[in-house]
Amino acid sequence: ALYFVPSFMSHSCSPSACWHADRNNNFVLRARRAIRAGEEMTVTYLDEFELLGHAGERRAALHRTKDFWCCCPRCRGQD
C-alpha cells in the first residue's frame, strides 16, 4: 500500500521532515531542519497553510480530521 510506511510517522506542528515526490513519483523523506542523532523524525498531518494558524486552529483541525488533540511542543508553547 502506498501509505503503509508513512502512516507510522508521528505528527508535529514543527516537523523535522516532509514527504516529497521526485520526478519519478517516488516518495522521498526530506529533512526540513537539522535532526540530531536519536531524535524522532516527525512530519505534519496538516497542509502548509494550516501550519500557519495558531495552536487552537491547528489542534481543532487535527481533532476534526484525525481525531486527536495535538500536544506537540509548538502547541504547548514550548517551540
Side-chain angles (χ1 to χ4, degrees), residues 16-29:
S16 59
C18 63
W19 288 103
H20 170 77
D22 68 13
R23 68 182 96 153
N24 297 319
N25 286 327
N26 296 310
F27 283 101
V28 178
L29 188 61

Side-chain angles (χ1 to χ4, degrees), residues 1-8 27:
L2 179 62
Y3 298 108
F4 181 72
V5 173
S7 69
F8 290 103
F27 283 101

Side-chain angles (χ1 to χ4, degrees), residues 2-76:
L2 179 62
Y3 298 108
F4 181 72
V5 173
S7 69
F8 290 103
M9 299 289 298
S10 295
H11 164 81
S12 175
C13 291
S14 296
S16 59
C18 63
W19 288 103
H20 170 77
D22 68 13
R23 68 182 96 153
N24 297 319
N25 286 327
N26 296 310
F27 283 101
V28 178
L29 188 61
R30 289 190 172 174
R32 293 175 64 120
R33 59 175 174 75
I35 301 170
R36 297 181 308 271
E39 178 184 355
E40 178 183 19
M41 292 180 66
T42 58
V43 295
T44 184
Y45 298 166
L46 299 169
D47 65 35
E48 294 295 320
F49 180 75
E50 289 173 312
L51 277 179
L52 298 174
H54 62 76
E57 292 171 334
R58 293 190 313 271
R59 293 183 80 228
L62 287 163
H63 187 261
R64 184 177 59 255
T65 62
K66 306 294 185 218
D67 201 30
F68 77 96
W69 291 105
C70 184
C71 57
C72 74
R74 185 173 172 210
C75 285
R76 291 189 318 252

